[in-house]
Amino acid sequence: MTRRRLRPDEIELWRRVAETTERLHPDRKAHEAPMPRPKPKKPAPNVRSITSFDMGERSTMDSMAHDLAPPVPDRITAAPLRMDRKTHQRLKRGKLSPEARLDLHGMTTERAHPLLTSFILKAQADGKRLVLVITGKGKHRDEGGPIPVRHGVLRHQVPHWLSIPPLAQAVMQVVEAHRSHGGGGAYYVYLRRRR
């Protein structure tokens, strides 16, 4: 970009404006420039010798444990008991027989969830108290990728689905089935009485 010279009328305008202004520093002469401030000196870097060390040797934190969800049987066992204790004991021993059963084994979650919902709500509407939901134990299919794949997806999802609306209002208790009814691959679902 090239600079152009000021025209005479522009110079005259500038002089008129300059005459109406007041100097900020009247004691300073016009040709004197302000004194530059001295630049602060940077402190010399503190040179220390590097000693050998082990990673984390001065750490005060204990090694953090992974916050993993407990296995499904442990979660179901830890759930509070909401049904009659004697009936619960008979149920765990396989002494009660289910009034209806639903086999979700081999289904995808997209197909299994609506089937489970309709089955539970229909069973409650029919006045049934104990139903069996078969999920299968699942196959170990971890391909060794960066994210581990949980085997037995339905086995993990079904208790969750039973604990959220609309099924939560119908379900009183979920118990892992006895060996005679499928063991770890099936659940007893004890339903509330319909009001």
Side-chain angles (χ1 to χ4, degrees):
M1 181 178 207
T2 59
R3 290 186 173 182
R4 69 174 181 85
R5 296 206 173 259
L6 293 175
R7 295 186 312 247
D9 60 328
E10 292 173 331
I11 294 172
E12 181 59 32
L13 178 64
W14 179 251
R15 282 196 181 130
R16 275 190 264 153
V17 170
E19 288 172 359
T20 62
T21 61
E22 293 181 21
R23 291 179 63 90
L24 288 175
H25 302 284
D27 54 333
R28 201 183 290 162
K29 294 179 182 167
H31 66 278
E32 286 182 10
M35 291 291 288
R37 292 184 186 167
K39 292 184 181 178
K41 293 182 180 178
K42 293 182 181 177
N46 189 1
V47 179
R48 293 187 300 179
S49 62
I50 298 175
T51 58
S52 64
F53 66 93
D54 290 327
M55 192 67 129
E57 68 183 6
R58 294 184 184 178
S59 174
T60 57
M61 292 180 55
D62 294 334
S63 62
M64 294 176 56
H66 296 287
D67 184 19
L68 300 176
V72 176
D74 295 346
R75 277 187 284 160
I76 290 174
T77 305
L81 187 63
R82 287 175 274 198
M83 60 187 287
D84 179 52
R85 185 172 298 283
K86 286 184 180 179
T87 308
H88 182 258
Q89 289 299 323
R90 291 180 63 213
L91 185 64
K92 280 176 46 179
R93 292 183 187 131
K95 302 291 182 189
L96 298 177
S97 56
E99 299 170 70
R101 68 181 61 224
L102 173 67
D103 190 355
L104 302 174
H105 188 256
M107 292 186 190
T108 62
T109 54
E110 292 80 19
R111 186 162 176 235
H113 191 193
L115 276 174
L116 177 70
T117 304
S118 64
F119 172 74
I120 295 293
L121 295 178
K122 184 176 183 318
Q124 186 192 29
D126 293 345
K128 295 178 179 162
R129 294 299 306 271
L130 179 63
V131 295
L132 179 71
V133 178
I134 301 166
T135 61
K137 292 183 182 177
K139 293 181 181 176
H140 189 66
R141 292 191 182 125
D142 192 359
E143 283 98 28
I147 300 172
V149 179
R150 179 181 277 173
H151 64 279
V153 175
L154 288 178
R155 184 171 173 247
H156 287 83
Q157 281 299 115
V158 165
H160 173 67
W161 290 337
L162 293 170
S163 66
I164 60 173
L167 299 180
Q169 57 83 23
V171 175
M172 183 181 286
Q173 193 80 41
V174 178
V175 179
E176 194 171 278
H178 187 264
R179 282 184 309 208
S180 61
H181 292 123
Y187 296 107
Y188 294 128
V189 182
Y190 198 75
L191 302 174
R192 297 180 194 276
R193 290 189 202 279
R194 189 143 188 226
R195 295 176 190 173

